Amino acid sequence: MRHAKSDHDDPALSDHDRPLAKRGRRDTPRMADWLAEQGCVPDVILCSSSVRTRETTELLLDHWDKKPVVVSCEDLYLSSPNTMLEIIGSRHRDAASVMVLAHNPGTAMLVSMLANQSLEMVTAAVAIFDVDDWSALGQANLSDHAPLSHLTKHLATQCSCKLTHFASPKTI
């Protein structure tokens, strides 16, 4: 999931410290309800350390009966697809479902690679995958500067990822 819409009104705030905008606070509960209706409330949320991702997580939790384990991951802040995969593949592999709540462009790049199609991850968008082997996701051992084609090849040969759901606030 990409974080909900953030506020850009205070130029004194760093990018990391920007909170959610009104639209983000409005869209997140709708996405939380949609996820619950789909039976897709995760067991674990791996959340970037930014204010807007933490606020998105809090709003999701407020709307779910089931309370996932939330893990703040500083490395998810503006991370590459490879870093995201390493985090997914190395943490909470015993969980049945894991949500990564992070930022573009990394989120859109990773989702598009896993889906094998170009997908736009607008704010508060969610892409849900059925993954056969979580641990294989984090075994690429590629530098963040390696071509994305190397990461795509690794994914194609090491695990099966099938896009099962894709939604954004405008599509639900």
Side-chain angles (χ1 to χ4, degrees):
M1 179 175 192
R2 182 177 174 200
H3 63 79
K5 182 69 178 170
S6 61
D7 191 338
H8 293 267
D9 288 345
D10 186 349
L13 289 177
S14 70
D15 180 71
H16 188 273
D17 294 334
R18 286 189 290 120
L20 291 180
K22 287 180 187 176
R23 189 176 100 199
R25 289 190 300 274
R26 181 190 70 227
D27 289 346
T28 303
R30 292 178 53 229
M31 295 307 293
D33 292 343
W34 181 85
L35 284 162
E37 289 166 9
Q38 306 309 308
C40 293
V41 175
D43 296 322
V44 175
I45 299 175
L46 302 175
C47 178
S48 162
S49 60
S50 76
V51 170
R52 60 191 176 273
T53 52
R54 289 183 288 132
E55 288 181 350
T56 301
T57 298
E58 290 169 13
L59 286 169
L60 292 170
L61 295 174
D62 288 346
H63 284 81
W64 292 335
D65 293 331
K66 174 184 171 183
K67 300 300 181 200
V69 173
V70 177
V71 180
S72 181
C73 302
E74 214 168 295
D75 290 342
L76 283 175
Y77 177 66
L78 302 179
S79 61
S80 69
N82 190 47
T83 298
M84 288 182 188
L85 287 172
E86 288 173 2
I87 292 168
I88 295 166
S90 65
R91 300 187 187 181
H92 298 280
R93 287 183 280 183
D94 56 334
S97 58
V98 176
M99 172 186 280
V100 176
L101 211 158
H103 311 267
N104 273 352
T107 300
M109 293 166 64
L110 178 60
V111 165
S112 294
M113 287 187 324
L114 293 174
N116 201 27
Q117 61 180 300
S118 180
L119 294 172
E120 184 179 3
M121 291 295 288
V122 298
T123 53
V126 176
I128 300 171
F129 294 88
D130 183 17
V131 178
D132 67 347
D133 184 1
W134 289 112
S135 62
L137 290 177
Q139 296 174 357
N141 295 322
L142 298 173
S143 114
D144 280 343
H145 304 292
L148 289 177
S149 60
H150 293 183
L151 187 54
T152 303
K153 182 178 179 180
H154 164 77
L155 291 172
T157 60
Q158 297 301 311
C159 67
S160 171
C161 300
K162 180 183 176 192
L163 180 67
T164 61
H165 300 78
F166 183 75
S168 69
K170 289 184 178 181
T171 64
I172 60 168

